[in-house]
Amino acid sequence: MAKISISLPDELLTYIDQKVENRSALIESLLQQWQQQQEDEALAVACALVDELELGWGSEWQNAAITDWEASGL
């Protein structure tokens, strides 16, 4: 696993340390959530484009994609 360094204001670092035991785990978790959100948004855009192009998606496939998108919380 690679290591990185970030700089945070003292107040934010103090706040983080009061709320969690492992600040590195918090940052890793936040980045993973951000990555998943980016992927979900890209999938939603792709689905919308396919829908606009009317490439033959049946209503069943379209409803499944919409349900997945809604479940993602976007």
Side-chain angles (χ1 to χ4, degrees):
M1 181 181 303
K3 288 189 168 201
I4 62 167
S5 289
I6 61 170
S7 298
L8 298 172
D10 291 337
E11 308 84 44
L12 182 56
L13 192 55
T14 300
Y15 177 78
I16 291 170
D17 287 341
Q18 291 172 352
K19 301 296 180 184
V20 297
E21 290 183 28
N22 185 341
R23 67 175 85 132
S24 294
L26 171 65
I27 293 168
E28 181 180 352
S29 174
L30 291 171
L31 289 172
Q32 288 172 342
Q33 288 175 21
W34 176 79
Q35 179 184 18
Q36 185 63 52
Q37 180 182 356
Q38 298 300 306
E39 292 170 359
D40 290 346
E41 289 175 5
L43 179 59
V45 168
C47 289
L49 290 173
V50 168
D51 189 42
E52 288 177 19
L53 295 173
E54 297 181 14
L55 295 177
W57 273 34
S59 62
E60 182 178 320
W61 282 97
Q62 183 174 353
N63 289 336
I66 291 169
T67 300
D68 290 345
W69 177 71
E70 289 174 343
S72 73
L74 297 177

